[in-house]
Amino acid sequence: MTPLDRAPDRTPVPTGTGLTLEDATGPLAATPGTGPLPEVHTTRAAFREALAAKVRAAVGNGVLKPTVGLVPTMGALHGGHASLVRQARAENDIVIASVFVNPLQFGDPADLEHYPRTLEADRQILGAAGCELVFAPDTQEMYPGYPDAPIVTVSAGRMGEVLEGSSRPGHFDGVCTVVAKLWNITAPPAPARLRSYFGQKDAQQLAVLRRLQADLDIAVEIRPVSLVRSPEGLALSSRNTRLSPESLEAALVLHRALAGLAEDADAGRPLDLHGARAQVRAEPLAALDYLEVVDHATLEPLSPEQLAAPLDREALALVAATFEPVRLIDNVILPGPAR
């Protein structure tokens, strides 16, 4: 059994959760292999020194402008995280990751306290996927003086107040603050340049971070990684391990509802958003929070007039629902007119 076959608490999980290698599709279908364990550094100074040494070695080997692929994580890694590292490995000269449980994005102190911290198991997964260096600071290293710091933080603005943000006030502000810090901490020395990898699974987070990079002119290239699903269509998530077999089956309604909207968009038909919501609500084990179609770049909801006509540009459909009592999210990119 490989590290990818285990849930965040490292106990085996059954197929059907979307968390085993047997469930994985796309980048995870191949055998992960056994790569060397990455170096772990817990201070900014030590990490920067190690990264600078990697850049110097790459330049010494004839790479004129090395690229560094960063995968920011909060640990408790599974196959979805590994897909990010694998894509970074395929596209970059140097691959790094961060493992930091960010207190600024937790609304409930109990959730922060109980979040799994499994650095050694995470290190195995990162190494198997091709990561070379890991930045794993404690809270005081990231936020000296916490909980009285940081005093200055980054706001996600109105993009952080809708959808997931409406039920998790301040969450995306915490995400923006920690990611901005990580981009600055891991910025490699010249002539290297930084790329940062995020999963399409967290579509709102990806949209917010793209805006953060653009609005603050941060020297990083954001690279999205496609959402990974089980063969049945369930989006990969560590929360899947908490679902009963009945809820696992019921949760597939999210993908079916999104797939119907994607079929509408592909066919150039108006989007039947009302029918998609009704499909989720008809599942007895599902409690729908939201199902919305929004502008892919701004997260502004499409107007009734836009929904009643074929899409004139790419859009994003997002859904969140609770299944006894696990809250799941999913999304699909809706294509605009064929070019």
Side-chain angles (χ1 to χ4, degrees):
M1 179 173 287
T2 72
L4 296 179
D5 290 316
R6 295 179 177 270
D9 63 1
R10 304 307 156 200
T11 57
V13 296
T15 58
T17 60
L19 286 176
T20 67
L21 287 178
E22 290 78 6
D23 287 334
T25 59
L28 296 180
T31 303
T34 55
L37 291 178
E39 299 175 26
V40 176
H41 298 281
T42 58
T43 68
R44 285 167 285 186
F47 181 83
R48 284 169 171 158
E49 182 178 345
L51 179 56
K54 291 280 187 184
V55 171
R56 288 194 299 270
V59 172
N61 288 329
V63 182
L64 296 181
K65 294 182 178 180
T67 57
V68 177
L70 165 68
V71 180
T73 83
M74 291 209 303
L77 305 185
H78 54 62
H81 300 97
S83 71
L84 304 182
V85 180
R86 289 184 181 283
Q87 182 161 325
R89 179 73 279 166
E91 296 178 351
N92 296 279
D93 303 295
I94 301 165
V95 177
I96 62 177
S98 62
V99 176
F100 175 64
V101 182
N102 178 32
L104 302 189
Q105 62 194 75
F106 285 83
D108 184 347
D111 287 344
L112 173 62
E113 180 182 354
H114 293 114
Y115 191 89
R117 291 153 171 89
T118 56
L119 181 58
E120 284 309 307
D122 295 339
R123 192 180 176 208
Q124 294 179 47
I125 290 175
L126 292 169
C131 178
E132 303 166 57
L133 291 176
V134 176
F135 179 50
D138 63 17
T139 303
Q140 288 302 316
E141 179 67 19
M142 278 297 282
Y143 305 126
Y146 183 84
D148 296 325
I151 295 174
V152 176
T153 59
V154 181
S155 170
R158 65 178 183 271
M159 291 181 72
E161 298 171 354
V162 298
L163 302 168
E164 290 298 292
S166 65
S167 58
R168 304 172 71 183
H171 170 76
F172 288 105
D173 293 348
V175 170
C176 286
T177 300
V178 74
V179 171
K181 283 181 66 73
L182 288 170
W183 283 342
N184 285 321
I185 291 168
T186 63
R193 50 198 173 91
L194 184 66
R195 292 170 173 158
S196 192
Y197 289 75
F198 299 95
Q200 182 64 39
K201 167 68 162 46
D202 295 308
Q204 183 174 3
Q205 173 180 275
L206 179 57
V208 167
L209 292 177
R210 280 173 161 156
R211 191 72 190 212
L212 168 68
Q213 184 277 331
D215 285 353
L216 299 189
D217 293 306
I218 300 176
V220 62
E221 177 188 351
I222 295 177
R223 300 286 293 162
V225 178
S226 299
L227 190 153
V228 180
R229 299 183 182 277
S230 72
E232 296 78 17
L234 186 66
L236 199 71
S237 171
S238 57
R239 296 182 181 186
N240 297 349
T241 60
R242 298 165 52 198
L243 294 169
S244 67
E246 294 78 16
S247 292
L248 276 171
E249 181 66 27
L252 296 175
V253 71
L254 301 183
H255 180 53
R256 290 196 297 270
L258 293 175
L261 292 173
E263 290 173 4
D264 288 343
D266 280 332
R269 297 191 297 262
L271 302 182
D272 186 9
L273 184 56
H274 176 76
R277 289 169 175 162
Q279 186 175 4
V280 178
R281 291 190 177 110
E283 169 51 58
L285 297 183
L288 180 64
D289 182 353
Y290 63 77
L291 201 172
E292 299 289 348
V293 177
V294 302
D295 182 275
H296 201 178
T298 67
L299 301 181
E300 294 289 338
L302 268 58
S303 67
E305 292 76 19
Q306 290 172 309
L307 293 172
L311 286 179
D312 61 1
R313 63 184 183 276
E314 187 177 86
L316 182 66
L318 307 100
V319 64
T322 302
F323 298 83
E324 297 185 330
V326 182
R327 191 170 185 275
L328 301 180
I329 61 173
D330 202 345
N331 69 87
V332 67
I333 299 171
L334 304 177
R339 297 190 184 275

